[in-house]
Amino acid sequence: MLHGGIIGVTVMKNIIRWKTAKGFALPTVMISSVVMLLVLLSGLVSTSSTNTTLKQQYFNRLNKEAFAAGYARAQACLNAYGSPSWSNASPLRPDSTCSGGAQCTTGPTCYVLSTANLKTTFTVNAATSNSDGSYTIPVTSEVQQFRSSSSTLSQTFPYNGYAKATPLYWSAVSAGTNFTCGLTRSTNPTYNNRVKCWGSNSTYKLGNKTSDNSLVPVDVASDGVLKGMYIKKLSSGMSVSCVIASDDNAYCWGHNSQYGLGDNTTTVRTSPVAVYRTGVLNGLTIKDIAVGSNHTQCVVASDNKAYCWGENLYGSVGDNTTTPRAAPVAVNSAGVLLGKTISSVSAGVSSACAVDSTGKVYCWGNGVLGNGSSGSSAVPVAVTSTGALNGKVVTSVSIGNGFACALATDGKAYCWGGNTYGQLGTGNTTASYVPVAVTGLNGITFTQITTGNFWACGLTTTGTVYCWGRDGELSGTYVINSTSPLAINTSGVLAGKTITSISAGYDHTCALDTEGKKYCWGGNSSGAFGNGGTTGSINPVTTFNTWLTLQY
């Protein structure tokens, strides 16, 4: 069953929220003017046309609120169960579960709004499946007026309509710490390249102007700095997410007390803010962006140089200091980066790496230097390119907790750093502070590498996924740790599917297939799967997330 969260439906500027009762989320309409309007109604004893019009306007408003609450319930149930589980004989009502049920008549949970004089309710009848995978959902809302003296029903005001619930597909997904964000994919420009997040909302990392967790995707606020723009790239980390928008500038939201947002403040932000661009980024645009843990974020700008900001533990900003940086600063380019053209950046736990145009790797911060040292450096150092990386051209790097993995043009993965849980994928738990090849793949090659807290996953050229490191649930095979790659389970929801992208977070991994459907596995205690629940899974699970279009 669904517990908690916020469904993104706004009607008449009043927000529908969900609160838990009887083990299921129930809607309550937050109407700021209700007291004033009820007082007004109590005085409408005149039969004048003016009073009648005012009364009708108010009842229309209440009906629309109840109407929207009914569709929000339908959307939540579709998200949780993948298909309608109610019927005409057992419709959805304010107090029912997703299987529907009879309308109760006493107590506040029986209605959307319940006062001595007025009550509002809804009935959601059986949904009709359409050829495009959407559902048409009919609903009736009703305002009930009671006599104050006897509490008997005097009048009812029904309202009929329907909505279309359209499947929500994804073009990108980025897993963080107990939350996930994704970019939507649609042929309708209104729905395309929009950013949504779900899961834990501590430190406002869902970016939707609240601190409430959500078990289903909610819109990141787009009425501020992101108004009128679409999103080109997304990255999520421990408690921050950042995007590159259609204006080629960077915007972030989430935890800011440790300088995480790069807006030159430590002010709490409940929605996206622009990364400060009056300083070193003045006149530049952003080509790549990476969000890490422990408040380190980095970008590649249009001058092909790297810039970072954050708490700067162990020199993770790379400016040859450990001074916290609330706005971007240039990564030191007087040493190994002198004259280099930076093509991509990655960020991890108090660390960062960059790949140049020749496929060489440079890292700074703590634990992932890759030059034979397990220590830290406040300036970039060259990752050893002899040994396993001799003659290799690296295309990307992903950083976990004290280790990193690189993907080269030969389709193979190379990792370095700590190896307590087998996260280097070498068949043992021996640490290596220079790159070593991931073994046991028998000719399998990768197109993408992603790292979680103490594990890594690779996406193969055939669209399957292998994982290694801590916790067997991350590979679909229940073992404590795996020092060699294991294929995730494809006998369930992934049967016949081709995976196109993967992203690992703190304790969960998510993937997308060719259709844009989302699958997640691992830990789900805060709702990071976005499937309406909090139960983790050792095998991939999928969800039916929807756009909800209200049509009165």
mmCIF file of all heavy atoms in Angstrom, residues 455 457 465-467 472-476 488-489 494 499 501-503 507-512 519-524 529 536-541:
data_model
loop_
_atom_site.group_PDB
_atom_site.id
_atom_site.type_symbol
_atom_site.label_atom_id
_atom_site.label_comp_id
_atom_site.label_asym_id
_atom_site.label_seq_id
_atom_site.Cartn_x
_atom_site.Cartn_y
_atom_site.Cartn_z
ATOM 1 N N TRP A 455 30.005 -0.425 -4.392
ATOM 2 C CA TRP A 455 29.822 -1.385 -5.481
ATOM 3 C C TRP A 455 29.830 -0.638 -6.814
ATOM 4 O O TRP A 455 29.776 0.601 -6.865
ATOM 5 C CB TRP A 455 28.510 -2.166 -5.322
ATOM 6 C CG TRP A 455 27.287 -1.452 -5.807
ATOM 7 C CD1 TRP A 455 26.702 -1.568 -7.037
ATOM 8 C CD2 TRP A 455 26.506 -0.489 -5.099
ATOM 9 N NE1 TRP A 455 25.595 -0.752 -7.138
ATOM 10 C CE2 TRP A 455 25.455 -0.083 -5.953
ATOM 11 C CE3 TRP A 455 26.574 0.056 -3.832
ATOM 12 C CZ2 TRP A 455 24.500 0.865 -5.581
ATOM 13 C CZ3 TRP A 455 25.633 0.997 -3.451
ATOM 14 C CH2 TRP A 455 24.604 1.380 -4.319
ATOM 15 N N CYS A 457 28.558 -1.105 -11.190
ATOM 16 C CA CYS A 457 27.799 -1.839 -12.198
ATOM 17 C C CYS A 457 28.255 -1.393 -13.580
ATOM 18 O O CYS A 457 28.649 -0.241 -13.788
ATOM 19 C CB CYS A 457 26.297 -1.590 -12.068
ATOM 20 S SG CYS A 457 25.538 -2.190 -10.536
ATOM 21 N N VAL A 465 23.156 -5.936 -17.539
ATOM 22 C CA VAL A 465 23.888 -5.253 -16.483
ATOM 23 C C VAL A 465 24.599 -6.266 -15.591
ATOM 24 O O VAL A 465 24.011 -7.280 -15.208
ATOM 25 C CB VAL A 465 22.938 -4.385 -15.626
ATOM 26 C CG1 VAL A 465 23.703 -3.670 -14.515
ATOM 27 C CG2 VAL A 465 22.199 -3.361 -16.499
ATOM 28 N N TYR A 466 25.846 -5.981 -15.270
ATOM 29 C CA TYR A 466 26.632 -6.749 -14.316
ATOM 30 C C TYR A 466 27.049 -5.828 -13.173
ATOM 31 O O TYR A 466 27.380 -4.659 -13.401
ATOM 32 C CB TYR A 466 27.885 -7.329 -14.974
ATOM 33 C CG TYR A 466 27.619 -8.507 -15.885
ATOM 34 C CD1 TYR A 466 27.080 -8.311 -17.151
ATOM 35 C CD2 TYR A 466 27.909 -9.797 -15.479
ATOM 36 C CE1 TYR A 466 26.836 -9.385 -18.001
ATOM 37 C CE2 TYR A 466 27.668 -10.881 -16.313
ATOM 38 C CZ TYR A 466 27.125 -10.668 -17.567
ATOM 39 O OH TYR A 466 26.878 -11.735 -18.396
ATOM 40 N N CYS A 467 27.013 -6.360 -11.944
ATOM 41 C CA CYS A 467 27.420 -5.579 -10.778
ATOM 42 C C CYS A 467 28.392 -6.370 -9.916
ATOM 43 O O CYS A 467 28.408 -7.604 -9.950
ATOM 44 C CB CYS A 467 26.205 -5.184 -9.945
ATOM 45 S SG CYS A 467 24.999 -4.143 -10.808
ATOM 46 N N GLY A 472 24.820 -8.481 -2.148
ATOM 47 C CA GLY A 472 24.367 -9.247 -3.291
ATOM 48 C C GLY A 472 23.069 -8.777 -3.894
ATOM 49 O O GLY A 472 22.803 -9.046 -5.057
ATOM 50 N N GLU A 473 22.223 -8.053 -3.116
ATOM 51 C CA GLU A 473 20.960 -7.608 -3.701
ATOM 52 C C GLU A 473 21.197 -6.644 -4.859
ATOM 53 O O GLU A 473 20.332 -6.419 -5.684
ATOM 54 C CB GLU A 473 20.063 -6.938 -2.651
ATOM 55 C CG GLU A 473 20.569 -5.621 -2.089
ATOM 56 C CD GLU A 473 21.304 -5.809 -0.789
ATOM 57 O OE1 GLU A 473 21.887 -6.905 -0.601
ATOM 58 O OE2 GLU A 473 21.304 -4.899 0.038
ATOM 59 N N LEU A 474 22.396 -6.091 -4.941
ATOM 60 C CA LEU A 474 22.705 -5.167 -6.017
ATOM 61 C C LEU A 474 23.011 -5.898 -7.307
ATOM 62 O O LEU A 474 23.127 -5.292 -8.355
ATOM 63 C CB LEU A 474 23.885 -4.276 -5.613
ATOM 64 C CG LEU A 474 23.638 -3.497 -4.319
ATOM 65 C CD1 LEU A 474 24.890 -2.780 -3.871
ATOM 66 C CD2 LEU A 474 22.501 -2.514 -4.491
ATOM 67 N N SER A 475 23.141 -7.196 -7.256
ATOM 68 C CA SER A 475 23.405 -7.971 -8.463
ATOM 69 C C SER A 475 22.277 -8.940 -8.788
ATOM 70 O O SER A 475 22.341 -9.650 -9.768
ATOM 71 C CB SER A 475 24.702 -8.765 -8.308
ATOM 72 O OG SER A 475 24.584 -9.698 -7.258
ATOM 73 N N GLY A 476 21.265 -8.972 -7.943
ATOM 74 C CA GLY A 476 20.154 -9.872 -8.179
ATOM 75 C C GLY A 476 20.418 -11.287 -7.710
ATOM 76 O O GLY A 476 19.630 -12.181 -7.947
ATOM 77 N N ILE A 488 22.668 -9.148 -13.321
ATOM 78 C CA ILE A 488 21.425 -8.944 -12.590
ATOM 79 C C ILE A 488 20.357 -9.870 -13.159
ATOM 80 O O ILE A 488 20.459 -10.350 -14.292
ATOM 81 C CB ILE A 488 20.951 -7.477 -12.637
ATOM 82 C CG1 ILE A 488 20.582 -7.071 -14.062
ATOM 83 C CG2 ILE A 488 21.995 -6.539 -12.066
ATOM 84 C CD1 ILE A 488 19.865 -5.740 -14.122
ATOM 85 N N ASN A 489 19.346 -10.123 -12.375
ATOM 86 C CA ASN A 489 18.294 -11.069 -12.729
ATOM 87 C C ASN A 489 17.445 -10.526 -13.879
ATOM 88 O O ASN A 489 16.831 -9.463 -13.771
ATOM 89 C CB ASN A 489 17.414 -11.312 -11.495
ATOM 90 C CG ASN A 489 16.443 -12.457 -11.690
ATOM 91 O OD1 ASN A 489 16.146 -12.846 -12.808
ATOM 92 N ND2 ASN A 489 15.957 -12.994 -10.591
ATOM 93 N N LEU A 494 12.679 -7.714 -16.260
ATOM 94 C CA LEU A 494 13.626 -7.377 -17.320
ATOM 95 C C LEU A 494 13.648 -8.398 -18.447
ATOM 96 O O LEU A 494 14.443 -8.262 -19.386
ATOM 97 C CB LEU A 494 15.044 -7.241 -16.743
ATOM 98 C CG LEU A 494 15.296 -6.039 -15.844
ATOM 99 C CD1 LEU A 494 16.763 -5.975 -15.446
ATOM 100 C CD2 LEU A 494 14.887 -4.739 -16.520
ATOM 101 N N ILE A 499 18.523 -2.804 -21.698
ATOM 102 C CA ILE A 499 18.830 -1.652 -20.851
ATOM 103 C C ILE A 499 19.718 -0.674 -21.621
ATOM 104 O O ILE A 499 20.657 -1.069 -22.321
ATOM 105 C CB ILE A 499 19.530 -2.104 -19.559
ATOM 106 C CG1 ILE A 499 18.617 -3.058 -18.780
ATOM 107 C CG2 ILE A 499 19.892 -0.900 -18.687
ATOM 108 C CD1 ILE A 499 17.276 -2.479 -18.406
ATOM 109 N N SER A 501 20.651 2.627 -19.985
ATOM 110 C CA SER A 501 21.449 3.431 -19.061
ATOM 111 C C SER A 501 21.240 2.931 -17.640
ATOM 112 O O SER A 501 20.205 2.335 -17.326
ATOM 113 C CB SER A 501 21.095 4.921 -19.158
ATOM 114 O OG SER A 501 19.777 5.164 -18.694
ATOM 115 N N ILE A 502 22.237 3.179 -16.771
ATOM 116 C CA ILE A 502 22.192 2.747 -15.380
ATOM 117 C C ILE A 502 22.740 3.848 -14.491
ATOM 118 O O ILE A 502 23.543 4.675 -14.923
ATOM 119 C CB ILE A 502 22.999 1.443 -15.156
ATOM 120 C CG1 ILE A 502 24.423 1.591 -15.705
ATOM 121 C CG2 ILE A 502 22.297 0.255 -15.774
ATOM 122 C CD1 ILE A 502 25.318 0.401 -15.451
ATOM 123 N N SER A 503 22.297 3.843 -13.234
ATOM 124 C CA SER A 503 22.808 4.808 -12.263
ATOM 125 C C SER A 503 22.737 4.191 -10.879
ATOM 126 O O SER A 503 21.687 3.685 -10.470
ATOM 127 C CB SER A 503 21.995 6.102 -12.302
ATOM 128 O OG SER A 503 22.467 7.027 -11.332
ATOM 129 N N ASP A 507 22.385 3.118 -1.833
ATOM 130 C CA ASP A 507 22.111 1.698 -1.603
ATOM 131 C C ASP A 507 21.111 1.138 -2.604
ATOM 132 O O ASP A 507 20.489 0.119 -2.366
ATOM 133 C CB ASP A 507 21.627 1.448 -0.169
ATOM 134 C CG ASP A 507 20.269 2.065 0.130
ATOM 135 O OD1 ASP A 507 19.757 2.838 -0.719
ATOM 136 O OD2 ASP A 507 19.715 1.796 1.207
ATOM 137 N N HIS A 508 20.958 1.810 -3.732
ATOM 138 C CA HIS A 508 20.076 1.290 -4.776
ATOM 139 C C HIS A 508 20.641 1.643 -6.143
ATOM 140 O O HIS A 508 21.484 2.532 -6.291
ATOM 141 C CB HIS A 508 18.652 1.835 -4.626
ATOM 142 C CG HIS A 508 18.501 3.283 -5.009
ATOM 143 N ND1 HIS A 508 19.034 4.313 -4.271
ATOM 144 C CD2 HIS A 508 17.862 3.883 -6.062
ATOM 145 C CE1 HIS A 508 18.735 5.472 -4.824
ATOM 146 N NE2 HIS A 508 18.033 5.237 -5.930
ATOM 147 N N THR A 509 20.174 0.904 -7.143
ATOM 148 C CA THR A 509 20.566 1.122 -8.529
ATOM 149 C C THR A 509 19.302 1.208 -9.371
ATOM 150 O O THR A 509 18.340 0.471 -9.137
ATOM 151 C CB THR A 509 21.447 -0.031 -9.049
ATOM 152 O OG1 THR A 509 22.570 -0.186 -8.185
ATOM 153 C CG2 THR A 509 21.947 0.246 -10.451
ATOM 154 N N CYS A 510 19.295 2.089 -10.359
ATOM 155 C CA CYS A 510 18.162 2.204 -11.282
ATOM 156 C C CYS A 510 18.659 2.100 -12.722
ATOM 157 O O CYS A 510 19.811 2.433 -13.028
ATOM 158 C CB CYS A 510 17.428 3.521 -11.085
ATOM 159 S SG CYS A 510 16.537 3.649 -9.506
ATOM 160 N N ALA A 511 17.783 1.632 -13.592
ATOM 161 C CA ALA A 511 18.122 1.451 -14.995
ATOM 162 C C ALA A 511 16.940 1.838 -15.866
ATOM 163 O O ALA A 511 15.785 1.805 -15.424
ATOM 164 C CB ALA A 511 18.507 -0.007 -15.260
ATOM 165 N N LEU A 512 17.223 2.197 -17.114
ATOM 166 C CA LEU A 512 16.193 2.495 -18.105
ATOM 167 C C LEU A 512 16.331 1.534 -19.271
ATOM 168 O O LEU A 512 17.442 1.116 -19.625
ATOM 169 C CB LEU A 512 16.329 3.933 -18.622
ATOM 170 C CG LEU A 512 16.236 5.061 -17.608
ATOM 171 C CD1 LEU A 512 16.397 6.402 -18.308
ATOM 172 C CD2 LEU A 512 14.910 5.015 -16.858
ATOM 173 N N TYR A 519 13.525 0.806 -13.930
ATOM 174 C CA TYR A 519 13.633 -0.361 -13.054
ATOM 175 C C TYR A 519 14.653 -0.036 -11.961
ATOM 176 O O TYR A 519 15.691 0.570 -12.230
ATOM 177 C CB TYR A 519 14.101 -1.583 -13.843
ATOM 178 C CG TYR A 519 13.301 -1.850 -15.088
ATOM 179 C CD1 TYR A 519 13.640 -1.239 -16.297
ATOM 180 C CD2 TYR A 519 12.197 -2.700 -15.062
ATOM 181 C CE1 TYR A 519 12.900 -1.460 -17.442
ATOM 182 C CE2 TYR A 519 11.459 -2.933 -16.213
ATOM 183 C CZ TYR A 519 11.809 -2.308 -17.398
ATOM 184 O OH TYR A 519 11.072 -2.520 -18.535
ATOM 185 N N CYS A 520 14.371 -0.443 -10.734
ATOM 186 C CA CYS A 520 15.300 -0.207 -9.632
ATOM 187 C C CYS A 520 15.422 -1.460 -8.767
ATOM 188 O O CYS A 520 14.517 -2.290 -8.737
ATOM 189 C CB CYS A 520 14.829 0.956 -8.750
ATOM 190 S SG CYS A 520 14.734 2.562 -9.597
ATOM 191 N N TRP A 521 16.540 -1.596 -8.058
ATOM 192 C CA TRP A 521 16.726 -2.689 -7.125
ATOM 193 C C TRP A 521 17.671 -2.228 -6.016
ATOM 194 O O TRP A 521 18.368 -1.226 -6.140
ATOM 195 C CB TRP A 521 17.259 -3.938 -7.826
ATOM 196 C CG TRP A 521 18.576 -3.799 -8.528
ATOM 197 C CD1 TRP A 521 19.812 -4.087 -8.038
ATOM 198 C CD2 TRP A 521 18.790 -3.347 -9.872
ATOM 199 N NE1 TRP A 521 20.782 -3.847 -8.974
ATOM 200 C CE2 TRP A 521 20.189 -3.396 -10.115
ATOM 201 C CE3 TRP A 521 17.945 -2.905 -10.902
ATOM 202 C CZ2 TRP A 521 20.749 -3.014 -11.337
ATOM 203 C CZ3 TRP A 521 18.513 -2.522 -12.108
ATOM 204 C CH2 TRP A 521 19.890 -2.592 -12.309
ATOM 205 N N GLY A 522 17.653 -2.954 -4.895
ATOM 206 C CA GLY A 522 18.481 -2.593 -3.745
ATOM 207 C C GLY A 522 17.630 -2.081 -2.603
ATOM 208 O O GLY A 522 16.527 -2.571 -2.353
ATOM 209 N N GLY A 523 18.118 -1.058 -1.893
ATOM 210 C CA GLY A 523 17.400 -0.479 -0.768
ATOM 211 C C GLY A 523 16.351 0.521 -1.210
ATOM 212 O O GLY A 523 16.533 1.242 -2.196
ATOM 213 N N ASN A 524 15.249 0.592 -0.457
ATOM 214 C CA ASN A 524 14.121 1.454 -0.848
ATOM 215 C C ASN A 524 13.421 2.033 0.382
ATOM 216 O O ASN A 524 12.241 2.342 0.342
ATOM 217 C CB ASN A 524 13.122 0.639 -1.693
ATOM 218 C CG ASN A 524 12.048 1.498 -2.328
ATOM 219 O OD1 ASN A 524 12.282 2.654 -2.686
ATOM 220 N ND2 ASN A 524 10.847 0.947 -2.467
ATOM 221 N N PHE A 529 12.757 4.001 -5.132
ATOM 222 C CA PHE A 529 12.319 3.322 -6.359
ATOM 223 C C PHE A 529 11.258 4.147 -7.099
ATOM 224 O O PHE A 529 11.088 3.997 -8.299
ATOM 225 C CB PHE A 529 11.716 1.949 -6.047
ATOM 226 C CG PHE A 529 12.697 0.899 -5.626
ATOM 227 C CD1 PHE A 529 14.037 1.196 -5.408
ATOM 228 C CD2 PHE A 529 12.281 -0.410 -5.424
ATOM 229 C CE1 PHE A 529 14.943 0.218 -5.007
ATOM 230 C CE2 PHE A 529 13.170 -1.398 -5.030
ATOM 231 C CZ PHE A 529 14.501 -1.084 -4.814
ATOM 232 N N GLY A 536 12.427 -2.784 -0.242
ATOM 233 C CA GLY A 536 13.536 -3.037 -1.138
ATOM 234 C C GLY A 536 13.375 -4.347 -1.883
ATOM 235 O O GLY A 536 12.467 -5.139 -1.614
ATOM 236 N N SER A 537 14.263 -4.591 -2.831
ATOM 237 C CA SER A 537 14.149 -5.808 -3.635
ATOM 238 C C SER A 537 15.532 -6.266 -4.075
ATOM 239 O O SER A 537 16.370 -5.444 -4.487
ATOM 240 C CB SER A 537 13.283 -5.566 -4.867
ATOM 241 O OG SER A 537 13.250 -6.715 -5.695
ATOM 242 N N ILE A 538 15.773 -7.591 -4.002
ATOM 243 C CA ILE A 538 17.033 -8.131 -4.502
ATOM 244 C C ILE A 538 17.014 -8.254 -6.015
ATOM 245 O O ILE A 538 18.059 -8.472 -6.637
ATOM 246 C CB ILE A 538 17.353 -9.497 -3.871
ATOM 247 C CG1 ILE A 538 16.316 -10.549 -4.273
ATOM 248 C CG2 ILE A 538 17.473 -9.386 -2.367
ATOM 249 C CD1 ILE A 538 16.673 -11.955 -3.835
ATOM 250 N N ASN A 539 15.839 -8.101 -6.611
ATOM 251 C CA ASN A 539 15.687 -8.159 -8.055
ATOM 252 C C ASN A 539 15.077 -6.862 -8.559
ATOM 253 O O ASN A 539 14.386 -6.162 -7.822
ATOM 254 C CB ASN A 539 14.794 -9.334 -8.458
ATOM 255 C CG ASN A 539 15.382 -10.673 -8.072
ATOM 256 O OD1 ASN A 539 16.529 -10.957 -8.411
ATOM 257 N ND2 ASN A 539 14.621 -11.484 -7.342
ATOM 258 N N PRO A 540 15.294 -6.502 -9.818
ATOM 259 C CA PRO A 540 14.716 -5.274 -10.357
ATOM 260 C C PRO A 540 13.195 -5.266 -10.269
ATOM 261 O O PRO A 540 12.536 -6.288 -10.484
ATOM 262 C CB PRO A 540 15.182 -5.286 -11.816
ATOM 263 C CG PRO A 540 16.430 -6.109 -11.806
ATOM 264 C CD PRO A 540 16.180 -7.175 -10.782
ATOM 265 N N VAL A 541 12.649 -4.114 -9.955
ATOM 266 C CA VAL A 541 11.203 -3.903 -9.965
ATOM 267 C C VAL A 541 10.931 -2.701 -10.844
ATOM 268 O O VAL A 541 11.786 -1.833 -11.025
ATOM 269 C CB VAL A 541 10.633 -3.680 -8.548
ATOM 270 C CG1 VAL A 541 10.849 -4.888 -7.679
ATOM 271 C CG2 VAL A 541 11.261 -2.447 -7.901
#
